[in-house]
Amino acid sequence: MDTESERTDAWREQMDAASRRFADTAEQREEVERRRAATESVVVDTKEQIVARADRLLVTGEVPATAVIELGRHDPVDGIGSLERVIGFANELQAVNFLTRGARAAQAVARISLNDNGRQIPVGTGSMVSPQLLLTNNHVLPTVADAASVVVEFGAEVAANNVPGPTVHYRLAPEDLFVTSEHLDYTLVRVAPNADGSFAGGEFGWNKLIAEPGKIVIGEAMNVVGHPSGRLKEISIRDNRLDLQLEHFLHYHSDTEPGNSGSPVFNDQWEIVALHHAGVPKKDDKGRVLRKDGKLWQRGDGDDAIEWIANEGTRVSVLLRDLGSRSFDPVQRALLDELGPTAALPVVETVTRSVPQPVPVRESTVRGLRGRPVGAAGRSVLFLHGRGQQGRDPAELRRTWTAGLNKGLTLAGLGPLDPADAYFPFYGDRLVESIDTREAVDTGPALYEELVAEAAQRAGMPTDLPADPQTRELFGGFGAVLLDRLHDQLGWIAARSGLDSALIGAIFKDVAAYLDDERVRKSVLDAVLADVPSGGELVLVSHSLGTVVALDLLTQLPQEVNVRMLVTAGSPLGLDGVYRKLLTGGANRPERVGEWLNTWYAGDPIAIGCPLSRAWGAGLREVPVENPKERAHDIAEYLAHAAVAATIGGALSA
């Protein structure tokens, strides 16, 4: 926009539209109040919304399944009233990690300011919803030119000592991706990487957009994070409730101000349910806006003088549906795919080429990378990757691992590692080839099912769910829907971790294939052994399936190699179905290992068996960490933690 006045006029148009929708739904709000009085429940909504919400809360573990089972036994879950009580239970009690999860979600929220000859003028709020995409309002960034003229400021907030901390600025790259809607008042735009190549989402995380219903119902609490009136970041978590669900928008009451335009609106599980865009002002009988003191509001009074009676935000599911209806070129589509499977964007069919493609060579010729001794101690470091790396460039993978480790080393005050110093055996192609060509084995599916079942049980999935028809009748139609969902083990693990169930299943399938077929195991170990040091001291850093391979590798390494430290990250080695199949003969720590560091994140579904000390006994160091939920299993995130990197760096230099 050419002037700040035009930007303000656009916001007031949104405010007037929100006011009209608020006035048009007066009867619906009255009906909500009548239902509340009749049911004595704050939580009320349509049957579909109530069932979807109770279902989502249950499978994500926000409501203990045992509580619902007891409810069904004493008060059959045969109607909406019972499910409303289930939701109310979750609405009233919060786990202590509510604050930790909220702080992590707030990191991805940034202040958007107009860059005017070196002077920054705040115009709104935005938040990262993927590694490279920022979501805000159309009236904040209505055009490509507007997006190109602003800066996005992360970390504009006070620290624990009540002193403002350092901020990081990013510019936008609307020429790469810019999607906007005036009616829904949203803009999705790419954030340009900084000079060092870092992405804003990689530095500050992002909050996923979820298309699935059941994220909130009328009467539930809401949390808003933003920069009201351009101030340092604030959060509104007191007395915020959803009042009404419209087709495209949500109405709620909350302490927000005009600078909150573009703020994410969260439920109590810190999932984005709406994009805040306008307030509803109180008006007199002639439709004139009133001030907080009851007098008529004048243009020069400022927006903070208005008496606000409600707020409006665009529903995330509607926003995603609009996004999915548009067409994009392949580069833009690749950026949108980073929103992840929860966004449920339509799958784009690829055009089949008419040119014949060469037949791939079955036996991979891709080799791993050899490193060199590090520092005065002359020790070697070896990175051992997990599954799903087929077709990747080992040099690129080694740089990714090293970049994560170097971030942690910097935070720990230690010097960086040159990627060329690290050994990086590569078995990604060999694993896939050996699985594709192996003969079927009877125990393969059984082991996979055993691993998934054990992981689900360790993730808190109830084992005493009613199965017989007579008992299940107590739960009625709606309760039975919830119980059926609970029986989906992969769905349970995925809901508790936030990772896609297909990815979790694929990882466990590959672990089962490696452990249960000696030809697969031999093929992988041969590929790894081809690129390990022949002697000296070694620091072995492994991840995911690579931690399983690492334990087997320890029985195969040359006697001249002394393993000073073993590092396992995101490991399934705590599962009984895994360690009993190892070449070590069970959870028996190899004598040749000096120190053992195991790092894990509670939200990582592959590390559900952690801490490993419960199965492997004392003598190994456990370092629990907090990874971004959407990158719960990412090796670079594990290595970027100072405590993890410092231990590795110390082992290399001591």
Side-chain angles (χ1 to χ4, degrees):
M1 290 185 176
D2 295 334
T3 66
E4 181 61 25
S5 176
E6 289 177 327
R7 191 186 301 271
T8 302
D9 288 343
W11 172 75
R12 290 196 175 121
E13 289 177 7
Q14 293 291 347
M15 180 185 71
D16 290 340
S19 295
R20 290 192 294 272
R21 286 188 285 265
F22 186 81
D24 292 343
T25 53
E27 290 186 3
Q28 292 173 253
R29 289 193 302 279
E30 292 174 359
E31 174 61 23
V32 168
E33 292 306 317
R34 283 195 293 269
R35 288 184 59 192
R36 281 177 174 161
T39 62
E40 298 182 352
S41 173
V42 174
V43 175
V44 295
D45 216 312
T46 64
K47 289 183 178 180
E48 294 77 13
Q49 291 285 358
I50 291 292
V51 171
R53 183 60 177 147
D55 180 19
R56 186 169 180 83
L57 285 170
L58 191 59
V59 299
T60 54
E62 301 296 337
V63 176
T66 51
V68 180
I69 292 171
E70 285 303 310
L71 175 64
R73 287 171 178 154
H74 297 96
D75 183 9
V77 186
D78 56 0
I80 293 300
S82 296
L83 297 185
E84 286 173 346
R85 292 200 294 279
V86 171
I87 298 171
F89 180 84
N91 203 25
E92 294 166 4
L93 298 176
Q94 294 298 327
V96 70
N97 68 355
F98 172 83
L99 300 175
T100 304
R101 293 157 73 180
R104 185 170 60 199
Q107 281 187 326
V109 178
R111 181 164 58 188
I112 301 175
S113 299
L114 182 66
N115 194 3
D116 184 16
N117 295 322
R119 186 169 64 99
Q120 293 185 11
I121 304 173
V123 295
T125 299
S127 65
M128 299 302 297
V129 292
S130 84
Q132 302 183 69
L133 298 181
L134 178 119
L135 180 66
T136 187
N137 291 141
N138 165 272
H139 75 259
V140 173
L141 298 178
T143 68
V144 168
D146 288 302
S149 67
V150 301
V151 294
V152 181
E153 184 181 13
F154 292 90
E157 58 193 74
V158 292
N161 58 4
N162 215 31
V163 176
T167 61
V168 179
H169 293 79
Y170 282 82
R171 299 302 295 262
L172 299 179
E175 66 278 6
D176 296 334
L177 182 77
F178 182 87
V179 188
T180 194
S181 167
E182 184 176 351
H183 169 62
L184 296 178
D185 199 17
Y186 82 86
T187 290
L188 186 69
V189 59
R190 183 183 184 235
V191 180
N194 262 348
D196 61 0
S198 63
F199 294 120
E203 185 71 19
F204 298 97
W206 67 89
N207 297 300
K208 292 187 295 185
L209 298 181
I210 303 171
E212 183 179 343
K215 294 184 289 296
I216 197 165
V217 295
I218 294 172
E220 277 200 276
M222 309 175 80
N223 309 298
V224 186
V225 181
H227 292 272
S229 298
R231 297 193 299 269
L232 295 178
K233 190 182 300 176
E234 297 178 8
I235 180 171
S236 175
I237 59 175
R238 293 183 177 86
D239 195 27
N240 309 318
R241 300 281 169 176
L242 176 62
D243 296 325
L244 202 63
Q245 299 204 50
L246 283 64
E247 181 181 3
H248 293 164
F249 302 95
L250 299 181
H251 282 172
Y252 46 94
H253 60 270
S254 174
D255 294 329
T256 60
E257 297 180 33
N260 274 81
S261 291
S263 296
V265 182
F266 299 95
N267 60 15
D268 272 346
Q269 290 70 53
W270 296 100
E271 299 168 327
I272 300 180
V273 297
L275 173 67
H276 178 73
H277 82 123
V280 177
K282 186 175 182 179
K283 296 183 178 182
D284 64 9
D285 54 4
K286 296 182 180 180
R288 296 174 296 186
V289 177
L290 297 176
R291 301 191 321 191
K292 294 176 181 177
D293 59 6
K295 298 179 181 179
L296 292 179
W297 177 82
Q298 303 296 326
R299 193 179 185 94
D301 291 339
D303 300 322
D304 55 349
I306 296 175
E307 176 71 15
W308 302 102
I309 58 175
N311 287 286
E312 184 180 83
T314 304
R315 297 177 65 163
V316 163
S317 56
V318 175
L319 182 159
L320 288 170
R321 191 160 60 241
D322 178 77
L323 192 63
S325 69
R326 302 174 183 237
S327 298
F328 301 94
D329 64 40
V331 174
Q332 294 172 328
R333 179 66 198 205
L335 286 170
L336 290 172
D337 285 344
E338 292 185 356
L339 292 173
T342 60
L345 296 182
V347 176
V348 177
E349 294 185 4
T350 57
V351 179
T352 303
R353 296 184 180 183
S354 58
V355 180
Q357 298 297 302
V359 177
V361 178
R362 294 301 299 171
E363 183 66 21
S364 172
T365 58
V366 179
R367 284 286 302 273
L369 304 168
R370 299 183 69 83
R372 55 198 180 196
V374 178
R379 299 192 178 100
S380 299
V381 58
L382 186 147
F383 296 145
L384 195 51
H385 67 80
R387 52 89 51 198
Q389 305 305 309
Q390 63 273 14
R392 301 286 300 277
D393 179 4
E396 177 189 343
L397 291 172
R398 182 169 67 172
R399 287 194 297 270
T400 299
W401 281 58
T402 308
L405 177 60
N406 283 343
K407 179 178 179 181
L409 290 171
T410 300
L411 293 173
L414 299 175
L417 177 74
D418 188 330
D421 290 338
Y423 283 79
F424 197 91
F426 181 72
Y427 65 86
D429 293 341
R430 191 75 65 84
L431 173 67
V432 173
E433 291 159 2
S434 58
I435 290 177
D436 287 346
T437 57
R438 69 180 180 139
E439 296 178 4
V441 291
D442 293 337
T443 53
L447 179 59
Y448 165 70
E449 293 168 4
E450 178 185 338
L451 294 180
V452 172
E454 184 180 354
Q457 187 271 329
R458 288 176 181 258
M461 183 172 178
T463 58
D464 59 347
L465 295 174
D468 59 287
Q470 192 172 37
T471 306
R472 289 174 66 83
E473 283 182 5
L474 291 172
F475 291 82
F478 297 121
V481 170
L482 305 185
L483 292 174
D484 288 340
R485 284 290 305 275
L486 278 175
H487 281 285
D488 181 0
Q489 295 169 332
L490 275 177
W492 175 274
I493 301 170
R496 296 301 299 270
S497 66
L499 293 185
D500 182 62
S501 61
L503 172 61
I504 299 169
I507 295 175
F508 280 124
K509 281 181 180 178
D510 284 354
V511 171
Y514 171 83
L515 290 171
D516 230 33
D517 191 316
E518 289 306 314
R519 285 170 296 178
V520 176
R521 190 195 307 251
K522 184 178 186 305
S523 181
V524 169
L525 287 175
D526 285 349
V528 174
L529 285 167
D531 290 297
V532 300
S534 58
E537 291 195 327
L538 177 67
V539 175
L540 175 55
V541 183
S542 58
H543 174 239
S544 192
L545 171 61
T547 66
V548 180
V549 178
L551 264 293
D552 281 351
L553 179 66
L554 292 171
T555 68
Q556 308 288 309
L557 281 174
Q559 291 299 318
E560 294 77 13
V561 176
N562 176 30
V563 182
R564 178 177 179 84
M565 173 176 285
L566 170 66
V567 179
T568 49
S571 175
L573 286 169
L575 297 177
D576 176 75
V578 171
Y579 61 70
R580 64 180 173 82
K581 288 276 190 174
L582 294 172
L583 295 180
T584 58
N588 304 309
R589 175 173 172 167
E591 295 181 0
R592 69 188 305 168
V593 173
E595 300 177 68
W596 184 348
L597 167 68
N598 180 58
T599 179
W600 53 282
Y601 165 46
D604 182 348
I606 310 306
I608 285 176
C610 292
L612 296 184
S613 53
R614 291 183 297 201
W616 291 81
L620 61 88
R621 180 182 175 188
E622 303 274 7
V623 178
V625 297
E626 283 282 333
N627 290 340
K629 190 173 183 180
E630 63 279 359
R631 299 193 302 285
H633 192 57
D634 193 287
I635 181 58
E637 293 294 337
Y638 275 113
L639 296 178
H641 289 282
V644 175
T647 305
I648 296 172
L652 288 172
S653 60

